[in-house]
Amino acid sequence: AFRRFVLEPAAQIASDMVHPVIGWTIRQLFEHLQTARGYIALTGLPATGKSELARAVAARTSSRYIADAVGHLGSVTSCGPSKGASIEREQAWLRRRAELISKDRWPDGTQVGISDFWLGQHLAYGRVWFDQADCAELEATWHAWQDRVVPPKLLVLLEKPLDPSAGRPTQRGNPHPSRRLDLLSDGLRALFLRKGYGPILELDAARPDWALTELTAAVEAMA
């Protein structure tokens, strides 16, 4: 769905064929490849190596690495809400990330930009960590930015099997914190596979060398 040497001939002979997962026709996929800005967004659970992969692929392909503006300063999209985390802070982090990929700030030229975050991940995390009213506020903030940011030319999900013995996020009053990562994983996957986002690529975080090779090849195949 994102490799030029596949899409270009396919668009000539089967342009109306619909991709069964993405929901776009071959013609739409090829037009997206031709016209979308070179932006690749990585998402996944905490500690899957998103930043390391994004930096490595950017170095290999002479792309621009877009560092996460949030880091460890309290967003629930790290490993859960730190002390004092709130819906207001989460909205602030969403806006901060959105500014990094805003259309107004996107540089001219053909250089690809690779981020170690995806704005959509806020929705999955918010639905786990916040109540319904707060989630509605967060989604409203997300929707307000959709026309102002560069949409991903390729969306990448970095997955890793959950380790029951690993540290899990905790939340005040939650007797079963280990369930949170399961919910986050399911929520991210549901968003990731929702039709309308465009080309997607799933990678195995447990095989970092393979993930690096695959994503490097994907970047090169879109050129």
Side-chain angles (χ1 to χ4, degrees):
F2 50 83
R3 301 185 195 278
R4 182 175 298 276
F5 65 84
V6 174
L7 283 178
E8 191 163 10
Q12 297 175 16
I13 61 174
S15 61
D16 293 328
M17 186 174 72
V18 176
H19 192 289
V21 176
I22 298 171
W24 291 9
T25 66
I26 299 299
R27 180 187 297 108
Q28 288 175 303
L29 289 169
F30 186 56
E31 289 176 354
H32 175 78
L33 182 68
Q34 296 284 80
T35 60
R37 299 190 190 186
Y39 170 44
I40 297 173
L42 275 67
T43 191
L45 292 180
T48 51
K50 298 184 294 294
S51 298
E52 294 83 354
L53 178 60
R55 280 194 295 264
V57 173
R60 279 196 177 189
T61 60
S62 299
S63 300
R64 178 171 61 97
Y65 170 55
I66 305 170
D68 193 345
V70 172
H72 62 282
L73 299 180
S75 168
V76 298
T77 53
S78 53
C79 290
S82 63
K83 184 178 181 181
S86 66
I87 185 61
E88 290 80 11
R89 174 174 286 187
E90 189 65 19
Q91 288 173 302
W93 288 132
L94 190 157
R95 289 190 289 268
R96 193 164 175 177
R97 279 176 167 145
E99 288 169 358
L100 289 175
I101 57 171
S102 68
K103 294 176 181 177
D104 292 339
R105 292 184 53 178
W106 200 262
D108 295 331
T110 59
Q111 186 183 35
V112 172
I114 304 175
S115 70
D116 52 8
F117 62 88
W118 171 49
L119 283 191
Q121 70 194 50
H122 284 271
L123 303 181
Y125 281 78
R127 290 167 188 173
V128 172
W129 291 114
F130 297 120
D131 61 27
Q132 188 172 1
D134 285 345
C135 281
E137 283 192 36
L138 187 61
E139 291 189 17
T141 303
W142 178 81
H143 279 294
W145 275 94
Q146 287 312 289
D147 291 334
R148 300 164 60 186
V149 298
V150 176
K153 190 169 188 173
L154 177 64
L155 179 57
V156 180
L157 177 63
L158 196 57
E159 289 196 296
K160 187 176 182 179
L162 295 178
D163 181 1
S165 65
R168 296 298 180 87
T170 59
Q171 183 173 7
R172 184 172 56 233
N174 176 24
H176 300 291
S178 63
R179 177 61 178 151
R180 294 280 169 169
L181 278 187
D182 298 326
L183 293 172
L184 290 175
S185 180
D186 292 344
L188 277 173
R189 169 160 282 278
L191 284 170
F192 182 82
L193 294 176
R194 191 165 68 182
K195 295 187 189 307
Y197 280 134
I200 57 178
L201 174 63
E202 298 182 67
L203 296 174
D204 185 356
R207 302 170 60 195
D209 291 341
W210 174 83
L212 174 58
T213 298
E214 284 294 303
L215 186 50
T216 299
V219 174
E220 293 172 346
M222 287 191 295

